[in-house]
């Protein structure tokens, strides 16, 4: 992937928003890759958790938001638990989801869920999916 | 011992087997679960964004109910409820400003919340208040010969501030199995995520994970997977039907709540097992235990 870095983009407003929402400093990350090596969702992610951090350091939030990474993140907290720099990566994923959801755009389109399927889901499956993936 | 009990929504619907068996097992051990006189959904997930105070109202409101009913401690069974209640509690203990805001918003409540309820999971009570030796004395039908895969998933052990056990190598379930006469496999997926709410949004992720995780448990010789979360149970048990459609070589493996194997081992009446709510009938494994004796 080609990236053009511009000094004025570093820690732009959107990066600051992510940092504020997630309570993190993205520059603390030294790219050890521990988050990605433990992440169970990696096989399904278009970019890996440590790449999310790298792009945040470069100010490329829009580039991250074009991927599915924050949507397939299952909030399992392995990354945040293992990060040697104490970065709450799971909260960063949540901040990225929130930035999109607050534009009132759902990731999960509820009316497309099969009605028969809907009956099978336990309440926690539906409530957690709505909470994480709908505005 | 009497303790306030917060069931949560799923224990009243798809996970009745968890509730029925837990209440019976607790009673056998001298613990009376007193269900909160009023309660609401905890929200199922803890909100992680710093400006989102609103979503902490639901869990905190339940903690107020605990105080209203005259208790200082509350027990949960569902791992998701446990995690959400405990994290919200830790948040308001640490951030006074948010606690004040929440109390202000809920000014119609009779009491202000002060962060002083202790949120516990039943496994902690079994280990810390009852103890394995005491549990052993209640075993009438030891589960000798049975081998289980202990499955904690995410929310009993992560993040570390809420963990009920060692974060990377929990062993409370292993100890429980041993007390009941069974054995645990050294299961690498013990604390691996089942895919959680992806089951609604990206079901294939869950089917693939269930295929891999159940297959490994079987290859390691497990008779069943034992867990504590109704969402993990849905993904790892109920979803096995769909896994079979996707992977014809897949064979189902029973999945049970830890309280169900306790009820069997304690020799409690069969109507406390709740097997009729299991999508994969687990009775066969207990017959097998009998034969192996
Ligand atoms: S584990 Fe932490 S320090 Fe290492 S790459 Fe991930 S975010 Fe960066
Ligand atoms: S919380 Fe999300 S990003 Fe972190 S390890 Fe789990 S699935 Fe991966």
């Amino acid at each position: 992937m080609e990236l053009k870095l511009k000094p004025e983009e570093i820690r732009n407003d959107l990066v600051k928003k992510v940092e504020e929402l997630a309570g993190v400093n993205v520059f603390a990350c030294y790219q050890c890759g521990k988050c990605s090596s433990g992440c169970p969702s990696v096989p399904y992610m278009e970019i890996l958790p440590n790449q999310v951090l790298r792009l945040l350091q470069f100010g490329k939030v829009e580039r991250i938001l074009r991927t599915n990474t924050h949507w397939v993140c299952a909030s399992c907290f392995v990354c945040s638990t293992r990060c040697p720099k104490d970065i709450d990566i799971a909260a960063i994923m949540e901040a990225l989801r929130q930035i999109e959801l607050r534009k009132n755009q759902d990731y999960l389109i509820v009316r497309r869920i099969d009605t028969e399927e809907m009956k099978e889901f336990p309440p926690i499956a539906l409530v957690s999916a709505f909470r994480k993936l709908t505005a | 011992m009497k303790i306030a009990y917060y069931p949560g929504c799923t224990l009243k619907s798809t996970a009745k087997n968890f509730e029925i068996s837990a209440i019976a097992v607790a009673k056998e051990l001298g613990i009376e679960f007193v269900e909160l006189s009023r309660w609401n959904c905890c929200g199922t997930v803890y909100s992680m964004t710093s400006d989102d105070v609103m979503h902490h109202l639901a869990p905190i409101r339940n903690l107020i109910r605990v105080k209203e009913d005259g208790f200082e401690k509350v027990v949960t069974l569902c791992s998701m409820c446990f995690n959400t209640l405990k994290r919200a509690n830790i948040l308001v203990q640490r951030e006074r400003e948010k606690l004040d805001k929440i109390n202000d918003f809920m000014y119609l409540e009779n009491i202000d919340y002060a962060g002083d309820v202790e949120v516990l999971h039943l496994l902690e009570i079994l280990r810390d208040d009852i103890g394995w030796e005491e549990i052993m004395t209640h075993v009438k039908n030891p589960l000798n010969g049975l081998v289980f895969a202990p499955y904690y998933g995410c929310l009993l052990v992560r993040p570390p501030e809420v963990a009920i056990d060692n974060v990377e190598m929990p062993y409370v379930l292993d100890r429980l199995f041993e007390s009941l006469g069974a054995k645990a496999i050294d299961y690498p997926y013990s604390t691996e995520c089942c895919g959680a709410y992806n089951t609604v949004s990206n079901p294939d992720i869950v089917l693939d994970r269930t295929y891999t995780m159940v297959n490994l448990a079987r290859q390691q010789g497990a008779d069943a997977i034992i867990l504590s979360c109704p969402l993990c149970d849905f993904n790892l048990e109920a979803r096995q039907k769909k896994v079979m459609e996707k992977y014809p070589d897949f064979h189902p493996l029973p999945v049970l709540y830890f309280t169900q194997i306790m009820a069997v081992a304690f020799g409690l009446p069969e109507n406390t097992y709740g097997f009729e709510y299991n999508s994969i009938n687990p009775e066969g494994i207990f017959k097998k235990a009998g034969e192996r004796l």
Side-chain angles (χ1 to χ4, degrees):
Chain A
M1 115 184 123
E2 186 182 308
L3 277 184
K4 284 211 173 67
L5 303 185
K6 299 187 193 125
E8 65 275 17
E9 278 189 8
I10 307 295
R11 212 171 231 156
N12 59 32
D13 286 347
L14 217 41
V15 176
K16 283 195 205 133
K17 189 75 194 166
V18 172
E19 291 193 314
E20 180 203 316
L21 289 178
V24 298
N25 169 4
V26 298
F27 288 94
C29 167
Y30 52 21
Q31 288 293 301
C32 67
K34 226 177 159 187
C35 48
S36 303
S37 58
C39 172
S41 305
V42 147
Y44 315 98
M45 286 176 167
E46 285 160 2
I47 59 171
L48 310 186
N50 73 300
Q51 293 176 305
V52 168
L53 264 297
R54 197 61 171 148
L55 287 168
L56 284 168
Q57 292 172 340
F58 292 157
K60 301 285 183 191
V61 181
E62 296 293 348
R63 173 76 186 75
I64 304 168
L65 293 177
R66 285 205 297 275
T67 73
N68 71 348
T69 295
H70 45 300
W71 299 119
V72 298
C73 160
S75 301
C76 76
F77 307 111
V78 166
C79 51
S80 308
T81 301
R82 293 189 186 159
C83 174
K85 299 289 290 183
D86 246 336
I87 300 168
D88 194 347
I89 303 116
I92 293 179
M93 297 293 175
E94 181 122 314
L96 293 165
R97 286 189 292 267
Q98 282 295 316
I99 285 174
E100 290 293 83
L101 295 174
R102 290 177 189 190
K103 295 177 196 156
N104 209 10
Q105 287 166 356
D106 291 346
Y107 170 74
L108 175 72
I109 310 296
V110 177
R111 69 185 145 72
R112 287 204 201 127
I113 304 172
D114 186 83
T115 30
E116 284 309 304
E117 281 264 285
M118 193 75 137
K119 283 184 212 147
E120 281 178 29
F121 288 127
I124 33 174
L126 291 171
V127 177
S128 57
F130 295 168
R131 283 284 307 281
K132 292 283 179 178
L133 310 171
T134 65
Chain B
M1 158 185 180
K2 268 191 183 184
I3 187 162
Y5 162 55
Y6 174 79
C9 314
T10 306
L11 269 85
K12 296 290 180 187
S13 55
T14 56
K16 283 196 182 122
N17 42 356
F18 196 5
E19 177 171 66
I20 298 167
S21 55
I23 291 175
V25 161
K27 193 170 159 218
E28 165 75 20
L29 294 170
I31 313 165
E32 189 190 336
F33 278 17
V34 184
E35 185 174 322
L36 293 179
S37 43
R38 279 170 69 199
W39 55 267
N40 52 267
C41 172
C42 67
T44 74
V45 288
Y46 171 78
S47 284
M48 289 182 269
T49 40
S50 59
D51 62 354
D52 182 2
V53 181
M54 197 61 159
H55 286 106
H56 300 304
L57 292 176
I60 298 301
R61 219 185 268 283
N62 286 312
L63 300 180
I64 290 180
R65 301 283 170 259
V66 177
K67 301 282 298 186
E68 264 177 4
D69 285 357
F71 290 94
E72 300 295 326
K73 294 179 182 183
V74 63
V75 65
T76 60
L77 301 170
C78 167
S79 308
M80 289 184 91
C81 299
F82 166 74
N83 195 283
T84 306
L85 293 177
K86 188 159 175 185
R87 285 194 83 178
N89 203 28
I90 293 173
L91 176 86
V92 300
Q93 285 165 356
R94 284 184 187 157
E95 296 189 37
R96 183 70 214 203
E97 213 179 294
K98 283 185 183 162
L99 176 63
D100 290 344
K101 207 181 232 180
I102 289 171
N103 278 326
D104 279 350
F105 186 88
M106 297 195 288
Y107 66 94
L108 290 176
E109 295 289 353
N110 294 325
I111 36 177
D112 271 357
Y113 187 58
D116 51 346
V117 168
E118 194 182 349
V119 179
L120 293 165
H121 188 269
L122 178 58
L123 281 169
E124 294 177 284
I125 295 180
L126 295 181
R127 178 192 58 203
D128 305 333
D129 297 318
I130 307 294
W132 308 127
E133 279 177 22
E134 170 68 17
I135 290 176
M136 281 163 82
T137 64
H138 292 265
V139 174
K140 294 202 184 65
N141 303 320
L143 306 178
N144 298 117
L146 283 181
V147 181
F148 297 129
Y151 184 75
Y152 301 86
C154 308
L155 300 177
L156 289 182
V157 288
R158 285 189 298 269
E161 63 192 26
V162 300
I164 63 162
D165 202 354
N166 186 297
V167 173
E168 297 288 358
M169 297 276 277
Y171 49 85
V172 54
L173 282 175
D174 299 45
R175 288 292 133 80
L176 177 68
F177 301 166
E178 284 162 19
S179 317
L180 305 177
K183 281 204 180 73
I185 57 166
D186 188 1
Y187 188 43
Y189 291 133
S190 209
T191 60
E192 184 93 358
C193 178
C194 66
Y197 45 81
N198 275 305
T199 203
V200 181
S201 48
N202 290 298
D204 271 315
I205 294 184
V206 167
L207 298 187
D208 290 355
R209 300 184 66 70
T210 299
Y211 176 77
T212 311
M213 283 157 58
V214 172
N215 271 347
L216 187 69
R218 172 193 302 289
Q219 280 162 19
Q220 289 184 282
D223 295 299
I225 295 174
I226 306 300
L227 42 68
S228 164
C229 172
L231 183 52
C232 300
D233 180 70
F234 178 75
N235 288 344
L236 287 171
E237 187 190 12
R239 278 305 188 214
Q240 286 190 34
K241 208 169 86 194
K242 282 210 156 48
V243 175
M244 271 189 281
E245 289 165 15
K246 187 169 176 184
Y247 298 101
D249 65 321
F250 180 79
H251 293 289
L253 187 74
V255 178
L256 296 108
Y257 293 107
F258 67 92
T259 47
Q260 292 185 286
I261 55 169
M262 291 179 79
V264 175
F266 288 177
L268 300 182
E270 278 182 27
N271 62 6
T272 64
Y273 303 169
F275 287 163
E276 64 275 23
Y277 295 99
N278 284 79
S279 51
I280 298 166
N281 187 344
E283 279 169 83
I285 62 167
F286 297 106
K287 292 208 184 84
K288 202 164 117 196
E291 283 158 20
R292 279 186 201 162
L293 284 176

